[in-house]
Amino acid sequence: MDVFSTFVARYGVAAVFLFTFLENVGLPIPAFPILMLAGAYASTRHAVLLLMVVAAVAGALLADGIWYFVGRWLGKGVLNHLCRISFNPDECLERSVDGFHRRKGATILFAKFLPGVNTIMPPLAGVAAMPLPYFLLLDFAGALMWAAAGVALGFAFGERIAVSARGVQGVMGWLLGVGLAATVAWRVGYRFWLVKRYATPRLAPEEVHRKMREGEEILVLDLRRDDDFAASDRMVAGAVRVRPASFHRRAHHLPRDRDLVFYCT
């Protein structure tokens, strides 16, 4: 944190622009605390206060604009890439898309205050082909609220924010490192546990066909992603369509008196 505070104190507006751009482009940079530090340092120089907010908004808009066009050009492929860190990438993708279509305006306005949503929102708007002026207007309003809130907090508490930031820099660094390592270890360990706990034998299509032909009690579940399902003109006879995003809600209602066969992409 001392590196950040020193950088802000030395480069001021340029540092605010850089850090807000880097966070919104996807790097793990804590931009909101940086805005608070900027507001604290500007508490004795009121003329710089507005420039800090403008720089933060400009950095966020530039990064979001880049992601918007990436989503517009590459389509859902970029969302698949962003959702890879999730335990269930298909669920992450479909939940994000569904939530965005239900609450487009609110999602864009408050995305900066929601960890995770902030990164996936701009390319999602591009994938959804949201008109660029409408997206920029909402994104500008959201970025302005976010930047103004951070700078205002720093300005209100003044030097106490800067002094506190320097005092806890070591603790924050250790907490960040330990927290990141623990998160990675937990995700990897939990994924291995899921695979080991719920691993089931694979069935060849011919075996499934034989079971169905001989009248065995099986239930076939179609778990293909929405795009793959919509692009296909075929479906296993008698199969039940279940979207990956809603499978966790259906799992407890599946019959337990027969074998379940899942197929996906």
Side-chain angles (χ1 to χ4, degrees):
M1 193 70 183
D2 187 54
V3 175
F4 294 150
S5 59
T6 302
F7 199 79
V8 171
R10 178 175 299 180
Y11 297 104
V13 174
V16 171
F17 174 84
L18 177 63
F19 284 127
T20 53
F21 172 78
L22 292 178
E23 187 201 81
N24 285 276
V25 88
L27 296 181
I29 302 294
F32 196 79
I34 299 301
L35 294 177
M36 296 174 66
L37 283 172
Y41 289 124
S43 61
T44 56
R45 293 178 294 171
H46 295 183
V48 185
L49 195 64
L50 181 60
L51 291 178
M52 294 291 190
V53 176
V54 171
V57 173
L61 284 179
L62 178 60
D64 289 349
I66 292 173
W67 274 118
Y68 173 89
F69 285 109
V70 169
R72 196 70 179 265
W73 292 330
L74 300 182
K76 282 190 176 180
V78 67
L79 300 180
N80 290 329
H81 178 74
L82 292 174
C83 279
R84 282 180 181 176
I85 62 174
S86 172
F87 288 126
N88 189 338
D90 291 336
E91 179 186 354
C92 166
L93 174 61
E94 293 180 13
R95 186 178 64 245
S96 300
V97 172
D98 290 348
F100 180 79
H101 284 299
R102 286 196 303 268
R103 299 176 292 272
K104 290 182 181 179
T107 301
I108 296 175
L109 275 174
F110 298 104
K112 295 285 181 290
F113 298 94
L114 304 173
V117 177
N118 185 37
T119 302
I120 202 172
M121 181 276 298
L124 192 52
V127 171
M130 173 178 283
L132 181 60
Y134 182 51
F135 167 74
L136 289 178
L137 177 63
L138 291 174
D139 195 41
F140 170 79
L144 182 61
M145 289 191 298
W146 172 73
V151 172
L153 282 173
F155 179 80
F157 292 99
E159 288 301 317
R160 280 176 290 179
I161 291 289
V163 173
S164 298
R166 292 185 179 186
V168 301
Q169 55 169 326
V171 176
M172 288 187 65
W174 278 104
L175 287 177
L176 181 62
V178 172
L180 180 61
T183 299
V184 172
W186 179 75
R187 284 182 173 273
V188 172
Y190 187 56
R191 187 180 293 274
F192 275 108
W193 180 82
L194 285 176
V195 172
K196 184 177 180 179
R197 174 68 175 79
Y198 294 102
T200 56
R202 293 180 177 270
L203 289 177
E206 296 78 13
E207 179 67 13
V208 177
H209 179 66
R210 182 192 64 78
K211 288 177 176 290
M212 298 177 68
R213 187 180 65 248
E214 294 178 358
E216 292 189 26
E217 291 289 332
I218 65 172
L219 176 63
V220 180
L221 299 173
D222 185 341
L223 290 172
R224 288 177 292 176
R225 292 182 298 184
D226 287 349
D227 290 348
D228 296 320
F229 180 78
S232 175
D233 58 353
R234 296 181 181 182
M235 186 175 181
V236 174
V240 176
R241 167 64 178 161
V242 179
R243 298 179 66 217
S246 60
F247 177 76
H248 65 286
R249 294 192 293 269
R250 300 277 301 272
H252 298 293
H253 302 288
L254 295 175
R256 300 177 180 274
D257 58 348
R258 67 186 70 180
D259 291 335
L260 304 178
V261 178
F262 304 90
Y263 77 98
C264 57
T265 50

